[in-house]
């Protein structure tokens, strides 16, 4: 099953997480505070952001990515898919039911 | 080698991490503060939790999952396995020795 | 594309992240505060550390690992590779351009 790794500014993370769960695109979202280091226009930047780890299903993955792109404030957001090689059966069932 | 992704309430995370390391089911556990968004009984909830990333081995994985289920306060805990595609040799050796 | 999972003491994490981005070994680094639980010399330890998630490319991966080993304060640092099964096209392009 896919975990989708998304970064967002703190002021957008709350609404993004709520929307993904409300619209049944993710069963749950774990949000973690992060400092992001990157280069832009030749300068090193440090931004306070949040990492969102959205727990979803194969079937819902494409729709989740489409929705994040629509509502995310960045033109080029970090959206990455990591696949678990195992998930506890009862938790996998809950995830699947939650995004149906 | 597997990294096991577990979420737990903050008051249970400390003991859970200690137990996995003390019982040689994980070489180390990285704990990170998180806010979890999910739906339960039709309502959106936001809980303060911790993400535990337990570094273990193929051989110890099943026993680790069994132990987490025994001591975790939730009936349906988030327990997920992510496999690394590479690990620094010396760190992999330390992990293997630590869970023997 | 690889995400490299590195842990480091907080006083070294800032310079490590900057260096990887400045030297174009990573497009960006997300730093997250963590508490690490592990056994050393028969005792359980709890250290405040940071998790660094370095977003890089297949081509730059080996050089990044070499550089982390050179500058990391630990003899046996946690350096692990996780491969994404999908990355948003525009973000993947930005990552590739940033480490060229």
């Amino acid at each position: 099953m896919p975990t989708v790794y998304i970064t967002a500014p703190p002021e957008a993370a709350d609404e993004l997480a709520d929307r993904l769960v409300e619209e049944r695109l993710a069963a749950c979202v774990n949000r973690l505070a992060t400092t992001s280091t990157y280069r832009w226009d030749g300068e090193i930047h440090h931004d306070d952001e949040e990492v969102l780890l959205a727990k979803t299903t194969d079937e819902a993955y494409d729709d989740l990515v489409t929705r994040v792109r629509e509502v995310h404030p960045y033109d080029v957001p970090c959206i990455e898919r990591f696949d678990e090689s195992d998930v506890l059966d009862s938790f996998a069932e809950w995830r699947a039911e939650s995004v149906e």
Side-chain angles (χ1 to χ4, degrees), chain A:
Chain A
M1 301 183 98
T3 288
V4 189
Y5 183 109
I6 303 156
T7 55
E11 65 273 15
D14 195 32
E15 191 195 334
L16 187 53
D18 279 11
R19 196 177 288 227
L20 295 180
V21 173
E22 282 170 0
E23 299 184 4
R24 294 183 167 273
L25 296 168
C28 65
V29 178
N30 294 144
R31 289 166 43 196
L32 301 97
T34 192
T35 303
S36 295
T37 303
Y38 61 97
R39 187 195 294 105
W40 197 263
D41 276 341
E43 296 277 320
I44 305 293
H45 293 257
H46 303 90
D47 288 356
D48 287 333
E49 294 190 298
E50 291 196 18
V51 173
L52 289 81
L53 298 169
K55 307 294 177 178
T56 189
T57 60
D58 289 337
E59 292 72 22
Y61 173 72
D62 287 341
D63 288 344
L64 182 149
V65 172
T66 299
R67 198 71 179 114
V68 172
R69 295 185 65 188
E70 285 170 355
V71 301
H72 200 290
Y74 298 165
D75 288 334
V76 183
C78 172
I79 308 176
E80 301 169 339
R81 174 180 176 148
F82 292 91
D83 275 278
E84 295 127 26
S85 42
D86 191 29
V87 180
L88 185 70
D89 283 350
S90 56
F91 189 75
E93 281 169 30
W94 176 74
R95 272 170 72 167
E97 288 167 7
S98 298
V99 298
E100 257 169 10

